[in-house]
């Protein structure tokens, strides 16, 4: 293991001369490299017989979290180039024509930071010397595989105003987010004093360098928590006009499942079959929420009738509901805080996304404050009283890493 400034870099080289699997992991606000320790350890185990480089980005705590998505994105881009410069010998030591497989994983605001960084790195009109170095020396040797966001606020601090707490947050989020300096207004889409549009609007414009970089990836995947994420709304994380999943009226022992997924080919079917059921409850009803006739019991196999498959593309659960722009459904079921024209939503839906909709069951009460960090297995705030939540988070990490593993095997 080597160390890159405040970042953590994991490397393995059992096959000298073979291409590398490169994973760039970007943390959210107030987080650090250790937040990706669980995902990093899973990636190490899955790729132990392959060459890999895993970057867990530097700490964004304290004042760094206040600097704005754009500044943090530039720092992350510089960090990536420094990584490649540090490992230049391994990067160049592959046969002519061979390429390294690269994927980017961003959690929370890290999903936005990494999107901005990709725009900086691949902008052909860049003014940054480090970006020009990346484009000339390293980009030609890379195959861009997967961009994955986990509980990331792609649409900003969007909240559906059909519940008291959500309405309170929508009206008062500016007060809370002002403590995040430049970052707060950017997440509220109110940072348009120096430009005609907010940063998130500019990052979603179809002709922008950020969207062009996003299109270069073979896969774009959003992993989003359906309910009880107090930090990021499902609609913002999943880039949907509304949340089609009904709110559960039960709580129980900590557990995890995939409630729905869309736009995957059938080679992922076995992977998802293993993750659609709660592990601890044999009597929990799972399956599409659109009617009893489509529901199955845990432990049963999914039949093809429960799956939506078009030309080999697989979807399940609430499939594509809300994933295509529909102004009527938006006006009836959801609303933005500061984006009345819904430009960010419409623009981001112009590229194809794969979606994984996940659900955590937890005991009633303050434990839901943990939901946001569970998908990446970050358990630094978990107390012994709910240690079963650690196991639920570990199952989530296993599913995420398996998805990346399959992506790199294609």
């Amino acid at each position: 293991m080597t160390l890159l400034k405040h970042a953590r870099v994991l490397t393995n080289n059992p096959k000298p001369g073979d291409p590398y699997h490169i994973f760039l992991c970007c943390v959210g606000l107030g987080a650090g490299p250790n937040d990706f320790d669980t995902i990093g350890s899973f990636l190490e185990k899955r790729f132990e017989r392959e060459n890999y480089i895993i970057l867990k980005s530097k700490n964004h705590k304290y004042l760094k979290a206040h600097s704005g998505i754009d500044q943090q994105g530039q720092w992350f881009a510089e960090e990536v180039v420094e990584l490649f410069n540090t490992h230049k010998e391994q990067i160049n030591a592959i046969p002519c024509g061979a390429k390294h497989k690269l994927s980017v994983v961003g959690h929370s605001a890290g999903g936005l930071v990494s999107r901005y960084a990709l725009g900086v790195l691949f902008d052909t009109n860049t003014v940054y010397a480090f970006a020009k170095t990346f484009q000339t020396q390293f980009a030609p040797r890379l195959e861009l595989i997967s961009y994955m966001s986990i509980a990331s606020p792609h649409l900003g601090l969007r909240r559906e105003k059909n519940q008291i707490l959500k309405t309170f947050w929508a009206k008062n989020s500016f007060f809370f987010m002002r403590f995040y300096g430049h970052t707060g207004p950017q997440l509220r889409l109110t940072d348009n004093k120096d430009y005609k549009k907010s940063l998130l609007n500019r990052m979603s414009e179809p002709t922008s360098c950020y969207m062009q970089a996003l299109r270069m990836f073979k896969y774009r995947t959003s992993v989003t928590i359906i309910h009880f994420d107090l930090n990021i709304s499902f609609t913002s994380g999943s880039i949907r006009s509304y949340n089609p999943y009904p709110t559960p009226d039960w709580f129980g022992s900590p557990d995890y499942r995939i409630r729905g997924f869309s736009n995957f080919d059938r080679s992922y079917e076995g992977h998802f079959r293993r993750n659609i059921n709660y592990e601890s409850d044999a009597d929990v009803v799972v399956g599409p929420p659109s009617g009893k006739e489509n529901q199955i019991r845990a432990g049963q196999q999914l039949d093809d009738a429960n799956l939506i498959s078009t030309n080999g593309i697989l979807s399940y659960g609430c499939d594509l509901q809300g994933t295509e722009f529909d102004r009527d459904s938006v006006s009836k079921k959801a609303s933005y805080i500061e984006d009345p024209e819904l430009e960010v939503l419409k623009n981001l839906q112009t590229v194809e996304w794969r979606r994984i909709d996940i659900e955590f069951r937890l005991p009633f009460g303050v434990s839901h404050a943990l939901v946001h960090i569970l998908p990446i297995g970050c358990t630094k705030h978990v107390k012994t009283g709910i240690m079963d939540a650690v196991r639920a988070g570990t199952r989530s990490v296993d599913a995420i890493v398996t998805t990346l593993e399959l992506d790199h095997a294609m």
Side-chain angles (χ1 to χ4, degrees):
M1 185 175 108
T2 60
L3 185 65
L4 182 69
K5 287 189 176 180
H6 300 293
R8 294 182 183 176
V9 180
L10 306 173
T11 64
N12 188 36
N13 185 219
K15 299 180 179 180
D18 279 5
Y20 276 76
H21 298 273
I22 303 174
F23 299 93
L24 309 177
C25 301
C26 188
V27 296
L29 304 181
N34 59 311
D35 286 46
F36 270 107
D37 281 354
T38 306
I39 285 183
S41 64
F42 270 69
L43 287 171
E44 283 185 276
K45 292 177 182 178
R46 299 295 177 86
F47 291 91
E48 63 182 352
R49 297 183 179 180
E50 304 291 333
N51 297 341
Y52 65 74
I53 300 176
I54 303 169
L55 168 68
K56 294 183 284 186
S57 67
K58 70 175 65 174
N59 206 317
H60 290 297
K61 289 182 179 179
Y62 309 122
L63 294 178
K64 290 183 178 180
H66 299 195
S67 57
I69 299 297
D70 47 350
Q71 180 62 72
Q72 293 177 73
Q74 180 185 329
W75 287 337
F76 185 52
E78 291 180 86
E79 195 173 29
V80 170
V81 177
E82 184 180 355
L83 171 77
F84 280 100
N85 279 325
T86 302
H87 297 278
K88 183 183 296 185
E89 183 177 342
Q90 295 101 307
I91 298 297
N92 292 331
I94 57 174
C96 181
K99 292 191 175 184
H100 306 284
K101 294 187 175 183
L102 180 141
S103 287
V104 177
V105 183
H107 174 248
S108 192
L112 299 179
V113 171
S114 57
R115 275 178 50 204
Y116 190 94
L118 291 170
V120 170
L121 291 173
F122 288 98
D123 182 9
T124 55
N125 297 316
T126 185
V127 296
Y128 298 110
F130 67 86
K132 293 178 181 178
T133 299
F134 175 82
Q135 292 172 21
T136 56
Q137 297 186 22
F138 303 121
R141 292 182 171 271
L142 299 176
E143 179 184 0
L144 304 186
I145 301 296
S146 184
Y147 165 85
M148 177 181 286
S149 67
I150 306 171
S152 297
H154 292 289
L155 308 183
L157 295 176
R158 184 181 184 208
R159 288 288 170 184
E160 300 169 37
K161 298 182 180 180
N162 58 350
Q163 294 182 13
I164 294 176
L165 289 178
K166 291 180 180 180
T167 303
F168 173 82
W169 173 253
K171 292 182 178 179
N172 295 281
S173 59
F174 180 77
F175 172 79
F176 296 109
M177 293 310 297
R178 70 180 180 178
F179 297 109
Y180 278 96
H182 296 292
T183 308
Q186 290 174 350
L187 292 175
R188 277 189 52 90
L189 283 73
T190 58
D191 59 313
N192 52 3
K193 293 181 180 179
D194 298 327
Y195 298 89
K196 293 182 180 180
K197 294 183 178 182
S198 69
L199 177 68
L200 295 192
N201 280 101
R202 301 197 305 273
M203 285 175 60
S204 72
E205 291 180 334
T207 58
S208 69
C209 59
Y210 315 103
M211 290 291 282
Q212 291 175 0
L214 204 55
R215 290 190 186 95
M216 295 171 67
F217 283 84
K218 186 177 181 180
Y219 306 111
R220 290 160 298 279
T221 309
S222 70
V223 180
T224 316
I225 306 164
I226 295 174
H227 297 296
F228 306 124
D229 186 343
L230 301 181
N231 299 69
I232 306 300
S233 70
F234 174 77
T235 48
S236 186
S238 189
I239 313 174
R240 299 198 194 203
S241 55
Y242 65 96
N243 187 345
Y245 295 96
T247 304
D249 56 0
W250 41 257
F251 300 90
S253 59
D255 215 335
Y256 153 87
R257 66 173 170 175
I258 291 178
R259 186 78 176 272
F261 55 87
S262 59
N263 285 339
F264 286 85
D265 66 53
R266 296 197 76 95
S267 59
Y268 295 80
E269 183 174 346
H271 160 46
F272 287 120
R273 285 182 187 275
R274 292 189 294 273
N275 283 274
I276 63 166
N277 297 331
Y278 280 126
E279 190 171 64
S280 62
D281 270 344
D283 294 327
V284 173
V285 176
V286 299
S290 56
K292 292 183 179 180
E293 69 277 7
N294 288 328
Q295 294 178 340
I296 61 172
R297 294 279 175 177
Q300 291 181 339
Q301 284 291 316
L302 276 176
D303 296 325
D304 285 350
N306 298 110
L307 302 169
I308 299 173
S309 180
T310 305
N311 296 326
I313 302 302
L314 199 66
S315 298
Y316 171 75
C318 280
D319 54 270
L320 302 177
Q321 294 182 39
T323 63
E324 294 183 1
F325 184 75
D326 178 355
R327 183 171 292 279
D328 290 336
S329 67
V330 172
S331 61
K332 290 178 182 178
K333 300 187 178 183
S335 58
Y336 268 111
I337 294 176
E338 298 289 349
D339 189 13
E341 299 301 320
L342 306 172
E343 289 185 3
V344 180
L345 174 65
K346 287 188 291 186
N347 289 338
L348 286 178
Q349 288 186 345
T350 61
V351 297
E352 185 178 86
W353 290 88
R354 304 184 308 183
R355 291 171 171 86
I356 303 176
D357 308 330
I358 65 176
E359 184 173 67
F360 289 98
R361 184 182 64 190
L362 293 172
F364 180 78
V366 296
S367 60
H368 286 90
L370 305 173
V371 168
H372 184 64
I373 60 175
L374 284 182
I376 60 171
C378 180
T379 55
K380 58 186 178 182
H381 301 304
V382 175
K383 306 301 181 184
T384 54
I386 50 173
M387 282 303 291
D388 283 345
V390 176
R391 191 160 177 256
T394 301
R395 288 189 64 207
S396 170
V397 171
D398 179 76
I400 287 171
V401 172
T402 299
T403 303
L404 292 170
E405 183 182 17
L406 291 171
D407 289 349
H408 278 238
M410 298 300 174

